[in-house]
Amino acid sequence: MPASTKHSISLREHLRADCEQCVGLCCTALAFSASADFNMDKEAGQPCYHLQEDYRCGIHNKLRDKGFRGCTVYDCFGAGQQIAQYTFDGQSWRQQEIAQKMFEVFPIMLHLHELIWYLEQLVTWDTASGLHRAASELSGKLLSLTYLNPAELLQLNRGELHMRVNQLLTEGSEQVRSETRRQYRKAAGRPRDYQRGADLIGQNLRKANLIGSNLRGAYLIAADLRQADLRGADLIGADLRDTDVRGTDLSQTLFLTQSQINAAIGDQNTILPDVLLRPAHWKVK
């Protein structure tokens, strides 16, 4: 189970988005289409028309009201400020000669930061202590890669790195989920099992026994997870858009991210892992 006191505070902050230190990369480099999440189309490399000269959002406090819900869900794991402040040494995409390269490096940095985030979660779980050394070493290697120059970053074999990380995460998940189920085997009912990528859209899972469940990549869009028992459940890559987690204890879930939390519907009674922040748009009654 998680032992959060072992988590590195400095690295935690490194992997947390700090828009004040960025240059509006997510508002510029990324493309989006008119949908429930965005009220307009935008091409990659084109600045959002709400982006101001100081790189602040002109409707930051009204994003959801103005139809930009997707912006309130997005999280770059701190990749934006790393690129702005280190990779390009404080320069901006407004300097045309570096704009394209900056946009190309952004998803690479994001991928590296996300992989580090997952590895750093793994090393907090006592049950997977046998993997801590390998996870820490690989996390350190990936962290060193985030300080490469743009040309070197563009040459990285991300597929190979992803595979190495995924092997560790899968093994760690299996160990933790198995031990969690053993520890709580007397919990009411038999825990539910699912295949990776399970279609659980709109499902009523209120108070369900999901102890140690494999919910990797599950589609939990608009599902009801209120007061579900998610101790040791693996949520890596799960789609939590509009998933109802009001009153749910998520503190012992595996691989939960800020963007997943941002996309869900929670309240003051939702219990989060200590590495995640309560979204400002959650209703507090």
Side-chain angles (χ1 to χ4, degrees), residues 7 71 156-157 194 210 221 256 271 276:
H7 195 88
C71 297
L156 288 178
N157 186 339
Y194 299 100
L210 298 171
I221 302 168
L256 193 62
I271 303 175
L276 299 179

Side-chain angles (χ1 to χ4, degrees), residues 171-283:
E171 187 175 351
S173 172
E174 290 172 350
Q175 290 182 14
V176 175
R177 289 189 295 108
S178 177
E179 174 58 24
T180 304
R181 285 193 168 187
R182 186 200 64 77
Q183 184 177 354
Y184 297 106
R185 62 183 178 275
K186 294 182 180 180
R190 183 177 180 180
R192 305 188 188 189
D193 282 309
Y194 299 100
Q195 296 295 319
R196 182 184 179 95
D199 183 354
L200 300 172
I201 297 174
Q203 291 289 310
N204 180 8
L205 297 170
R206 187 172 187 179
K207 296 185 178 180
N209 183 355
L210 298 171
I211 295 174
S213 292
N214 180 9
L215 293 170
R216 285 187 156 215
Y219 293 95
L220 287 159
I221 302 168
D224 188 348
L225 281 176
R226 286 177 291 172
Q227 300 171 26
D229 195 336
L230 288 158
R231 286 175 289 186
D234 188 340
L235 288 166
I236 196 168
D239 192 334
L240 300 185
R241 283 178 292 170
D242 289 331
T243 305
D244 196 339
V245 293
R246 289 175 294 172
T248 305
D249 187 348
L250 299 169
S251 64
Q252 296 184 56
T253 55
L254 311 184
F255 302 127
L256 193 62
T257 67
Q258 189 65 53
S259 59
Q260 287 173 305
I261 287 298
N262 292 346
I265 300 171
D267 61 12
Q268 71 273 19
N269 296 316
T270 304
I271 303 175
L272 300 176
D274 69 346
V275 295
L276 299 179
L277 303 175
R278 191 173 302 276
H281 56 266
W282 277 10
K283 300 296 184 183

Side-chain angles (χ1 to χ4, degrees), residues 32-248:
F32 51 74
S33 301
S35 63
D37 290 325
F38 299 99
N39 75 354
M40 65 179 218
D41 295 323
K42 189 187 84 65
E43 296 180 1
Q46 172 189 337
C48 173
Y49 61 71
H50 291 299
L51 186 66
Q52 301 178 137
E53 285 298 313
D54 61 359
Y55 304 110
R56 293 173 181 265
C57 174
I59 58 169
H60 178 72
N61 295 325
K62 301 178 181 178
L63 283 167
R64 291 196 159 228
D65 295 336
K66 296 292 186 180
F68 286 84
R69 169 185 161 172
C71 297
T72 68
V73 171
Y74 183 77
D75 180 63
C76 75
F77 294 94
Q81 67 257 25
Q82 177 70 4
I83 289 176
Q85 299 302 323
Y86 186 86
T87 311
F88 287 89
D89 195 25
Q91 299 180 86
S92 167
W93 48 265
R94 287 198 171 110
Q95 296 169 253
Q96 292 300 313
E97 65 275 13
I98 65 169
Q100 187 57 41
K101 186 167 290 187
M102 182 175 274
F103 298 153
E104 291 172 356
V105 167
F106 184 46
I108 298 173
M109 188 67 73
L110 172 59
H111 190 204
L112 291 173
H113 276 226
E114 184 176 7
L115 293 179
I116 297 169
W117 169 269
Y118 290 134
L119 288 170
E120 287 301 304
Q121 296 305 299
L122 176 56
V123 300
T124 68
W125 302 331
D126 291 338
T127 307
S129 59
L131 300 175
H132 286 184
R133 180 175 179 179
S136 293
E137 290 178 351
L138 186 50
S139 176
K141 174 179 174 56
L142 293 179
L143 185 61
S144 68
L145 295 179
T146 67
Y147 288 93
L148 294 176
N149 64 46
E152 292 170 327
L153 284 166
L154 291 169
Q155 293 300 313
L156 288 178
N157 186 339
R158 287 195 287 157
E160 179 183 347
L161 293 171
H162 186 95
M163 181 179 66
R164 290 176 60 188
V165 172
N166 188 58
Q167 288 175 341
L168 275 176
L169 301 184
T170 300
E171 187 175 351
S173 172
E174 290 172 350
Q175 290 182 14
V176 175
R177 289 189 295 108
S178 177
E179 174 58 24
T180 304
R181 285 193 168 187
R182 186 200 64 77
Q183 184 177 354
Y184 297 106
R185 62 183 178 275
K186 294 182 180 180
R190 183 177 180 180
R192 305 188 188 189
D193 282 309
Y194 299 100
Q195 296 295 319
R196 182 184 179 95
D199 183 354
L200 300 172
I201 297 174
Q203 291 289 310
N204 180 8
L205 297 170
R206 187 172 187 179
K207 296 185 178 180
N209 183 355
L210 298 171
I211 295 174
S213 292
N214 180 9
L215 293 170
R216 285 187 156 215
Y219 293 95
L220 287 159
I221 302 168
D224 188 348
L225 281 176
R226 286 177 291 172
Q227 300 171 26
D229 195 336
L230 288 158
R231 286 175 289 186
D234 188 340
L235 288 166
I236 196 168
D239 192 334
L240 300 185
R241 283 178 292 170
D242 289 331
T243 305
D244 196 339
V245 293
R246 289 175 294 172
T248 305

